[in-house]
Amino acid sequence: MRILTVLLCVATVLASRPAGAAPPCDARKVAAAARACGELLRGEGRFARDGDAMRRARRVALASDRLAREWTAAEAAAVDATCAAFSASGVDTADRLAAAVADAGASLPGSARCRGAVLGTLAPLCRRVVRSELPLLGDAPGAHDDRQLVLARVRTSLGRALPRTECGGGGPGAADVEPVLLRVAAGALGDATVRSLRALVADAGPEIGVAIEPNEVASDPVYAAALDREATSITAENVMKWGPIHPAPGTWVFGPADEVVARAESQGQRVRGHTLVWGALQLPAYVENASDADTLRAMMAEHIATVAGRYAGRIAQWDVVNEPLPGSLDPPTADGLDDNVFRRLIGPGYVAEALHLARAADPAAKLYVNENGIEVPGPRQDRFFALVQDLLAAGAPLDGVGFQAHLGLIPIGQYPDEATIAASLRRFADLGLSVELTELDVALVFRVGDLPSRLAFQGGYYRSVIAACATVPDCAGVTTWGLSDRHTWLRSFFGFTDWPLPFDDDWRRKPAYFGMRAALLEAALRGD
Ligand code: 9MR
């Protein structure tokens, strides 16, 4: 009887194991990375103390070799294609992990002796932090909470251990050390388990873009590294808009936009220009209050010639006109266009005029109109379709349509499925146009459920949105509107907390990231 009870218990436990557990090779690679991280930090600690660069380099090389061997073995043992496909460049990523650890050692304040002691203390913690990422691999509900728990424990350990190091009063405190640890751990996990999105689309597949504020990237090395690693395309979230770049007649503020373009070029990334004409927001008063059509036409001509002309040949695509339709909650207008100053003074033809001006200023750039809420079929999509047909019939130089894809928000609480999005993209592609998802984010604030289950849903949903683009041949790219939740416009613009992007506030990959990765991997395996 007792044996039966035990067997029943075992069967129950096995049956209740969480679905979607981490694939074996990912898990083994993380475990190996955790070990290596600890070892490297311990080694760093010793050699920082006695300053023996040769021994240190040898130690790093050995750890890197061993890591590469363990990853290769993990991949060889893996049975599923998904995991095997991550194998590409084991040695290179092991070297990068080793370099990240060495950088971390060098960036701590304090004397070499004190740094050495602190690094020695970090070794076991690093292991723990890296291992805590394991649940994330399987997109398991609760992964987020698990990580918070581990971090809280790490903080406590640091608080206990640091005062015992050899730093006296002047060494690093927990606040200096924690970000270093997180950075190494995130790098270790990333290198151990994940070929970046950029690597996955290297040969084929849509562009993977990110909208950025250049100052946020410049002030955060973790952001900069993630951007370089993940993105093939960059959009300026705000700094190329009329208000920021041309705030007063004759006043031009090109610095931040120049920075975006130069940075992208230095990383071999494409640039989407956003945006030349937008009647709704970030339009300076001198434009809003233009007195008549001729004055406004002259302003538009000067603006487009100057901005598009400045970057001619360096910008792959321009959102020439942004949001020509009324806001999704505004009442429709007679001609279906947003009631802005351009339409009021120049008339509905302003869209075609802007396209001609942009073509003249930069003949090489692909010219787009960009709109929200058109991912779902219905009257709004039909209005936009009619506008696009009119533009093409009138011979306007239009190359593409941008689907903003603020999903879960416009329309509120709706998450159109893969087939719906793909059909919407195809409807416009069938007119001979390119299409892109230009501002993707997935709001969760209007969705019920606890946070872990909403994040898990978001992971699967990101996968279907990316798959929708990857399966439509003319869908040239997907840009997310930011990269980490910490920078999302949903927080700054509306003031509520949301988690719409692929990385969390601490730069951990979320289920959303793994959803993107899964869709790109599927596309790569299909040979799209
Ligand atoms: O993300 C942008 C935010 O920082 C600005 O405050 C906002 C207001 O102009 O614009 C946001 O970006 C918008 C984009 O330019 C066009 N589509 C909607 C985006 C979100 O509002």
Side-chain angles (χ1 to χ4, degrees):
M1 188 60 197
R2 190 175 296 163
I3 290 182
L4 264 183
T5 316
V6 170
L7 284 178
L8 200 64
C9 278
V10 171
T12 315
V13 168
L14 286 178
S16 65
R17 267 151 45 116
C25 102
D26 274 5
R28 290 175 59 177
K29 285 163 83 178
V30 173
R35 267 198 313 278
C37 188
E39 242 168 63
L40 284 166
L41 278 175
R42 249 194 314 276
E44 269 295 282
R46 255 205 311 285
F47 305 130
R49 237 180 284 203
D50 64 26
D52 186 339
M54 285 278 289
R55 279 167 62 203
R56 187 183 116 186
R58 188 167 161 64
R59 171 104 189 186
V60 166
L62 282 177
S64 169
D65 264 6
R66 214 193 63 204
L67 199 50
R69 266 201 314 277
E70 291 190 26
W71 287 350
T72 310
E75 284 155 3
V79 283
D80 63 312
T82 316
C83 193
F86 299 143
S87 62
S89 53
V91 176
D92 171 46
T93 54
D95 283 345
R96 279 195 282 131
L97 169 60
V101 175
D103 285 353
S107 71
L108 282 174
S111 66
R113 199 177 170 74
C114 156
R115 257 204 321 270
V118 174
L119 287 167
T121 302
L122 289 186
L125 298 182
C126 189
R127 216 168 142 147
R128 219 188 281 167
V129 173
V130 176
R131 287 187 67 94
S132 79
E133 299 287 336
L134 271 176
L136 192 59
L137 294 173
D139 294 358
H144 198 80
D145 292 348
D146 286 357
R147 290 204 311 277
Q148 297 313 320
L149 205 65
V150 170
L151 283 180
R153 285 204 198 114
V154 165
R155 258 167 234 143
T156 315
S157 307
L158 279 175
R160 273 203 302 267
L162 285 178
R164 294 200 302 269
T165 60
E166 300 163 46
C167 296
D176 300 308
V177 166
E178 194 181 294
V180 170
L181 191 63
L182 283 176
R183 196 169 312 159
V184 174
L189 174 80
D191 287 346
T193 62
V194 181
R195 258 212 290 166
S196 68
L197 304 178
R198 183 173 188 171
L200 282 173
V201 295
D203 301 326
E207 300 272 352
I208 294 298
V210 176
I212 63 165
E213 296 283 22
N215 61 337
E216 288 172 354
V217 178
S219 62
D220 181 349
V222 186
Y223 190 175
L227 195 65
D228 300 347
R229 193 181 62 229
E230 305 293 348
T232 66
S233 173
I234 300 293
T235 303
E237 183 172 345
N238 284 301
V239 299
M240 288 185 183
K241 290 174 183 169
W242 197 314
I245 210 167
H246 189 187
T251 304
W252 301 93
V253 182
F254 289 123
D258 287 355
E259 200 180 321
V260 169
V261 175
R263 184 173 205 295
E265 284 174 343
S266 76
Q267 295 300 321
Q269 292 159 325
R270 181 190 80 156
V271 182
R272 294 200 81 249
H274 178 83
T275 172
L276 294 169
V277 176
W278 184 16
L281 288 169
Q282 287 166 299
L283 191 62
Y286 72 92
V287 188
E288 284 282 4
N289 301 329
S291 52
D292 54 64
D294 285 348
T295 313
L296 186 57
R297 269 207 177 91
M299 283 179 187
M300 191 165 85
E302 184 206 21
H303 182 79
I304 293 178
T306 309
V307 178
R310 181 179 184 86
Y311 301 110
R314 301 168 71 193
I315 300 246
Q317 305 182 347
W318 267 111
D319 287 334
V320 176
V321 177
N322 186 46
E323 298 174 14
L325 299 189
S328 58
L329 300 177
D330 292 342
T333 51
D335 58 11
L337 291 187
D338 182 40
D339 180 27
N340 62 43
V341 65
F342 298 101
R343 168 186 171 268
R344 272 197 307 277
L345 294 187
I346 299 174
Y350 87 88
V351 180
E353 286 185 32
L355 287 163
H356 283 291
L357 290 165
R359 179 65 94 225
D362 183 355
K366 299 284 180 215
L367 306 184
Y368 274 60
V369 280
N370 192 46
E371 189 52 87
N372 62 45
I374 54 167
E375 296 79 20
V376 279
R380 184 170 179 80
Q381 190 188 79
D382 292 345
R383 270 206 304 283
F384 194 68
F385 192 75
L387 167 68
V388 167
Q389 279 182 313
D390 289 350
L391 287 168
L392 292 175
L398 178 68
D399 301 303
V401 164
F403 289 65
Q404 291 185 4
H406 291 295
L407 301 169
L409 180 79
I410 307 173
I412 285 183
Q414 284 191 36
Y415 303 92
D417 64 13
E418 179 182 335
T420 305
I421 297 177
S424 300
L425 292 170
R426 252 185 240 112
R427 184 177 187 202
F428 287 84
D430 285 348
L431 295 173
L433 296 170
S434 278
V435 289
E436 293 216 6
L437 303 178
T438 51
E439 303 186 12
L440 173 65
D441 47 18
V442 176
L444 294 177
V445 74
F446 300 110
R447 192 176 171 84
V448 290
D450 58 21
L451 186 57
S453 64
R454 283 188 284 165
L455 291 172
F457 156 79
Q458 188 184 52
Y461 189 60
Y462 257 92
R463 181 185 192 140
S464 39
V465 176
I466 306 299
C469 175
T471 50
V472 173
D474 294 304
C475 186
V478 177
T479 291
T480 56
W481 209 238
L483 192 55
S484 147
D485 287 341
R486 67 162 69 190
H487 297 126
T488 173
W489 73 287
L490 293 174
R491 295 187 187 177
S492 48
F493 194 78
F494 293 112
F496 52 61
T497 304
D498 207 325
W499 311 266
L501 291 165
F503 283 79
D504 76 6
D505 280 70
D506 295 321
W507 288 109
R508 308 307 179 77
R509 294 166 176 80
K510 292 167 56 190
Y513 177 92
F514 290 102
M516 294 181 79
R517 184 182 70 162
L520 295 174
L521 203 52
E522 282 158 10
L525 293 173
R526 275 198 313 267
D528 287 356

